[in-house]
Amino acid sequence: MISFYLNGKRHELTQLNPNTTVLEYLRLHEGQTDTKEGCGSGDCGACTVMVQRLPNASQPALNDENGDEKNATPPFYTINSCITLVSLMDGHHLMTASYLADNPEHHPERALLHPAQQAMVECHGSQCGFCTPGFVMSLACVYENNRMQTSQEAASQKDTKQLSYDEVVASISGNLCRCTGYRPIIEAGLLMSDIGQQREAEHSAVKDLTISLATDAMRSTKESAVSGNVPAEQKNQEPHGIAPAISDAGRQLYMPKSLDELNQVLAAYPQATIWAGGTDLGLSVTQHLVDHEVIIQLSAVEALKSWSLFDAKSDSSNEESDNEQSSSQTLVLGAGMSYQQMLPVLEQYFPSFAQVFERIASPQIRNMGTIGGNIANASPIGDLPPILLALDASIQLRYCAPNRKESGENLDNSDSIYTDEIIPLSEFFLDYKKTKLQAGSYVVAIHIPLMHDNQHLFIHKISKRYEDDISACLLAARIDVSTDGMTIENAKLGLGGMAAIPLLATTCQQALVGQAAEVASFEQAAQVLSADVTPMTDVRASREYRSHVVQRLLVKCGKQLVAGRQTETA
């Protein structure tokens, strides 16, 4: 069973097509037509809804370096309902635009609009109105998170911190408007705080969107319902003893709660569709009309959403280097971590990596998309793989054996049904959309060695739009220099959007090794880039454009390296 709240009312589902999206459920099952369908692919934002993770339900959490859990995401976040499975709402409160106003009598003329709605009215932020609900949800989300953060940081402070222009623009970067234009919508976003402060001063009733229902009862009821409603004979029929969360007409969706359960279900259904955030896989349902028979949803496997640091001894054979560090640290990111969850970790350990996130997708996509899904998807235009290749990352894979119950083998011991393998990420991609993954296997984690003081990371993405757009090409360069900063000792150049798979420009890398850390070295190395890759031509860019741009980006990396060295010595 899955259980969640929709606009303040609890919903429990056991019989439902697992391929049902949030948008389909809202419009066709519940008649909530205030949420619109636009592109059906997570690009336009017309279907944006706001979600709150219930405090006592399963929710993504991060572990800090001390192993303590901490909240990774704000209380409210937005999603594209058109490509999000409704099962991913388990343990959440789902809100649509009609829920925002304080309208207890369901009388529009007596309703007190949410500050986001009122601001859109006052700033004339809507014309045809089709995109308006999505914009309102994005603005309401940033307003509510800002209001809650301000109250937590300074409980005695009466005035809500004003949202900046950049914060408003970032919040609506995943929403498209065709007729109104962005100026009045941005003005509405800037006006929200003033409206909220004015209402507080006037003691006007303001609707509290933070749900305060009996979520403990929700969890206990859910657990008892799962164990009580599932007939014993059905549980016995399951080869792994785990019942599906929802099912309909032979289609099943499983929500394992641990890695052991995941291993067992996947061993029983090696051909199942593994579903994490589904920001790309969701298009198989909405665009290609695929009806997945068995889905294994990873949202409840908390072990895939944590991170850690561990010491890895170096392979240095120089015995005279005993006085130097003989070990290096590696950052391990669980494959189920969303972009939003990774961001604070990367800000701490890879700041230049974190800065690229504002160029990757939209807030709605970053709230759902995962690092493991982005890699396993094996798209040649994926933004993360080229950066991870430049950082010498490795990928941890798990292969679950087919169900061997018929042979009398005991599968209670998880060690007997899976094997792990850690390989360089550069060996993971085989061909277009082909990887080392096999039936019954999945990505467990990504291992990234931390950078040393003499290592520098530069990342450049080229796209037609600055925000929320697919890469025409992406270059990630990690340059290792000597202690005095004058010589290039090693280089890793990750390329995206240039070939059928993300790859390393090995010839170009080698041309940099041993050269002076000067711009001329990068200009010379750029000339051999054609030996590594022959770019493709598509709707985003031509072959010639991609070749020329990446060469100039490599030179730009050299200029950044030299400029950084001059700043340090100034």
Side-chain angles (χ1 to χ4, degrees):
M1 181 183 72
I2 63 172
S3 56
F4 58 95
Y5 285 91
L6 170 59
N7 290 342
K9 296 181 180 179
R10 184 175 173 180
H11 289 244
E12 295 179 353
L13 303 174
T14 55
Q15 187 172 359
L16 183 73
N17 186 339
N19 297 274
T20 303
T21 64
V22 173
L23 181 65
E24 183 181 0
Y25 182 77
L26 289 174
R27 295 183 64 86
L28 301 183
H29 293 256
E30 294 298 320
Q32 292 280 355
T33 55
D34 52 321
T35 303
K36 307 302 180 185
E37 180 176 12
C39 64
S41 57
D43 288 327
C44 74
C47 69
T48 300
V49 292
M50 187 163 69
V51 179
Q52 178 195 3
R53 292 184 176 92
L54 296 178
N56 295 315
S58 177
Q59 58 179 310
L62 285 181
N63 297 328
D64 58 25
E65 57 269 30
N66 297 320
D68 299 325
E69 285 191 359
K70 64 179 182 179
N71 218 352
T73 55
F76 299 98
Y77 67 99
T78 54
I79 64 170
N80 290 310
S81 61
C82 68
I83 56 173
T84 303
L85 294 184
V86 70
S87 54
L88 285 163
M89 295 297 97
D90 183 60
H92 291 70
H93 182 204
L94 172 63
M95 290 162 275
T96 66
S98 61
Y99 181 72
L100 297 180
D102 191 359
N103 186 21
E105 299 179 6
H106 302 286
H107 197 297
E109 294 180 0
R110 300 176 186 174
L112 181 65
L113 298 180
H114 185 276
Q117 296 170 317
Q118 187 64 44
M120 288 284 280
V121 172
E122 296 184 14
C123 296
H124 306 286
S126 176
Q127 285 191 35
C128 81
F130 192 84
C131 69
T132 303
F135 272 102
V136 165
M137 299 311 291
S138 292
L139 292 174
C141 185
V142 70
Y143 172 84
E144 292 293 335
N145 283 330
N146 176 66
R147 183 173 65 87
M148 293 189 67
Q149 181 181 1
T150 302
S151 63
Q152 293 172 358
E153 292 177 351
S156 60
Q157 182 178 342
K158 295 183 179 180
D159 293 337
T160 302
K161 179 179 74 69
Q162 292 285 345
L163 287 165
S164 68
Y165 179 91
D166 289 340
E167 287 174 319
V168 171
V169 170
S171 71
I172 60 174
S173 61
N175 297 80
L176 297 181
C177 177
R178 298 294 185 185
C179 55
T180 306
Y182 289 94
R183 180 188 56 78
I185 298 174
I186 294 173
E187 289 177 352
L190 296 172
L191 184 63
M192 291 188 300
S193 298
D194 292 337
I195 294 175
Q197 292 174 18
Q198 181 180 354
R199 289 182 178 177
E200 290 180 6
E202 297 173 351
H203 301 287
S204 299
V206 178
K207 187 172 186 177
D208 185 5
L209 297 179
T210 55
I211 197 166
S212 56
L213 301 173
T215 50
D216 284 328
M218 173 183 174
R219 164 176 276 191
S220 61
T221 304
K222 174 185 172 184
E223 291 175 350
S224 61
V226 169
S227 59
N229 292 344
V230 179
E233 57 271 17
Q234 178 180 337
K235 296 179 70 173
N236 293 333
Q237 290 173 0
E238 296 290 342
H240 39 74
I242 303 171
I246 55 175
S247 60
D248 179 67
R251 296 177 291 263
Q252 300 173 317
L253 182 141
Y254 292 90
M255 293 179 60
K257 302 296 189 296
S258 65
L259 287 176
D260 283 344
E261 287 190 4
L262 171 58
N263 298 336
Q264 293 176 43
V265 176
L266 192 56
Y269 299 102
Q271 300 295 335
T273 300
I274 299 178
W275 201 290
T279 53
D280 188 80
L281 194 55
L283 274 67
S284 67
V285 175
T286 62
Q287 303 294 312
H288 304 293
L289 306 181
V290 176
D291 209 21
H292 300 279
E293 290 292 327
V294 179
I295 297 175
I296 301 177
Q297 185 174 302
L298 306 181
S299 59
V301 185
E302 297 300 321
L304 292 176
K305 302 173 187 175
S306 62
W307 66 278
S308 61
L309 285 175
F310 74 90
D311 293 329
K313 292 184 178 180
S314 63
D315 295 330
S316 175
S317 58
N318 186 1
E319 297 180 358
E320 298 179 358
S321 63
D322 290 341
N323 294 330
E324 301 177 0
Q325 286 186 337
S326 59
S327 64
S328 59
Q329 288 189 308
T330 297
L331 175 65
V332 180
L333 299 176
M337 292 180 69
S338 69
Y339 287 79
Q340 190 60 43
Q341 287 177 278
M342 289 188 292
L343 185 57
V345 183
L346 296 178
E347 286 175 339
Q348 181 177 356
Y349 296 104
F350 298 95
S352 55
F353 193 171
Q355 291 174 2
V356 184
F357 272 44
E358 66 182 25
R359 301 287 315 280
I360 297 177
S362 65
Q364 295 94 318
I365 296 296
R366 293 196 295 267
N367 288 330
M368 297 300 294
T370 63
I371 181 173
N374 189 258
I375 296 172
N377 185 41
S379 170
I381 52 176
D383 289 313
L384 298 187
I387 304 172
L388 295 171
L389 285 171
L391 290 172
D392 250 350
S394 298
I395 185 169
Q396 180 179 350
L397 306 176
R398 177 161 296 177
Y399 302 91
C400 297
N403 191 336
R404 299 189 296 270
K405 191 172 183 179
E406 293 81 1
S407 63
E409 294 187 44
N410 182 10
L411 298 183
D412 292 335
N413 181 4
S414 61
D415 291 339
S416 67
I417 63 171
Y418 74 84
T419 57
D420 279 7
E421 179 185 27
I422 300 177
I423 61 173
L425 185 61
S426 57
E427 299 177 7
F428 178 71
F429 303 104
L430 304 178
D431 201 346
Y432 178 73
K433 290 287 187 175
K434 292 184 179 180
T435 68
K436 285 275 192 175
L437 286 175
Q438 305 169 1
S441 63
Y442 63 96
V443 181
V444 179
I446 310 300
H447 299 239
I448 314 173
L450 295 190
M451 295 173 61
H452 301 295
D453 292 338
N454 67 324
Q455 296 178 322
H456 306 271
L457 180 65
F458 309 102
I459 306 169
H460 297 289
K461 173 178 176 176
I462 300 298
S463 57
K464 291 187 175 182
R465 282 187 311 188
Y466 184 82
E467 299 167 315
D468 190 17
D469 199 8
I470 295 172
S471 296
C473 54
L474 188 148
L475 169 68
R478 196 204 74 198
I479 308 298
D480 305 355
V481 298
S482 57
T483 305
D484 59 8
M486 302 305 293
T487 306
I488 301 173
E489 294 188 339
N490 197 6
K492 293 287 183 180
L493 307 177
L495 299 178
M498 298 287 286
I501 60 173
L503 49 79
L504 287 169
T506 54
T507 305
C508 196
Q509 291 171 182
Q510 194 58 38
L512 285 170
V513 176
Q515 301 299 314
E518 301 292 347
V519 175
S521 300
F522 289 83
E523 292 177 334
Q524 183 177 357
Q527 300 304 313
V528 301
L529 185 64
S530 59
D532 289 309
V533 61
T534 300
M536 54 186 175
T537 295
D538 57 21
V539 295
R540 283 175 291 275
S542 67
R543 176 183 298 108
E544 294 76 17
Y545 175 83
R546 283 186 164 101
S547 295
H548 178 73
V549 166
V550 171
Q551 288 177 344
R552 300 316 301 167
L553 289 179
L554 182 59
V555 175
K556 185 175 182 178
C557 293
K559 293 180 178 179
Q560 291 176 302
L561 178 66
V562 173
R565 183 182 65 202
Q566 292 173 345
T567 301
E568 293 173 359
T569 57

